Amino acid sequence: MDTLLKPAHTDLPASPSLDQRRDHGPDQRPDPNHADCRGVASVLSRVGDKWSVFVIMMLSDGPKRFNELKRLINGISQRMLTLTLRGLERDGLVTRTIFPTIPPRVDYELTDLGHGLSRPVEALGRWAKDHLDQIEAARTKFDQRNEG
Amino acid sequence: MDTLLKPAHTDLPASPSLDQRRDHGPDQRPDPNHADCRGVASVLSRVGDKWSVFVIMMLSDGPKRFNELKRLINGISQRMLTLTLRGLERDGLVTRTIFPTIPPRVDYELTDLGHGLSRPVEALGRWAKDHLDQIEAARTKFDQRNEG
DNA sequence: CAGCATCCGTGAAGATACTG
DNA sequence: CAGTATCTTCACGGATGCTG
């Protein structure tokens, strides 16, 4: 009940790295006029987390069960899905509803907050989809210049 | 010129994990009706990368120099900044302009593609900022329930 | 079915010292 | 100033096996 799903010796489910590892200095004021880093970063990292994004997208359709999500995302391991869901739950983005039946059934659903997030996230997803070619082209070109 | 800034033995600057490690099986069609994962994921991971986001935000004001960015972001290490910038450059999101003066001067600027990305990214940033409290509150609450 | 518990490899990121 | 080079750490994430 200690190591649980937590990889090795973390204390947070799915986005520990930022909050914990990032304060390497005593005072860390970047410049208030831009972005206040610390806090925003921890939210951004949730968004940047591949699995979180996919889960959010899948759930924007409506509530889903555990294995349903697993099938939809398909590349995700069960551990990562659990971890991701716990993280999203922790952040108040999804709710976890347990039906004490046999066999057990658990539904995951976006909260209002989660739905709010899903909008900019999907906007981003659309952008990504739209410009994928350009980016991949740029990557190829860059790689050729750099080692070809 | 081989190990360079690349941490240990990667081949991509800042978002290699997804494309490479993700194909653990022969057939990996998730369900075309949702998101096509692989490609989008690699873009999302760039966006989700904390440092990339901050750099993009900083550069949306206009071109900046290396150390200027470093100061603005402040929590970033010099290595990570270089790595991030190379990644963004590789993806065709920023340009790198070298002035062969002494001392040397390098300007980084968003490309059109980069500016395009900066819009949804900033939307996300705003969202993150706006709902930071809610999320942190949720986190605290969740943590208390879970171990208090 | 949903989920813990564990072991383990990989690689992302920090710190530091050196160069043009 | 703007990088490079290198070492080290340790968190992410996969695979597997066990519970209620």
Side-chain angles (χ1 to χ4, degrees), chain A residues 73-93:
Chain A
I73 302 183
N74 188 4
I76 197 171
S77 66
Q78 171 259 26
R79 180 174 167 273
M80 276 304 106
L81 182 54
T82 306
L83 224 49
T84 303
L85 287 168
R86 300 292 274 192
L88 292 171
E89 191 192 355
R90 189 174 103 103
D91 286 5
L93 297 167

Side-chain angles (χ1 to χ4, degrees), chain A residues 9 13 16 36 45-46 70 72 75 86 96 99-100 107 111 117-118 121-123 128 130 134 141-142:
Chain A
H9 31 260
D36 57 281
S45 82
R46 156 105 314 116
K70 189 159 175 243
L72 284 169
R86 300 292 274 192
R96 180 163 169 268
F99 299 86
D107 274 21
T111 61
L117 177 55
S118 82
V121 162
E122 284 186 15
D130 284 356
Q134 288 183 60
K141 197 173 166 188
F142 183 91

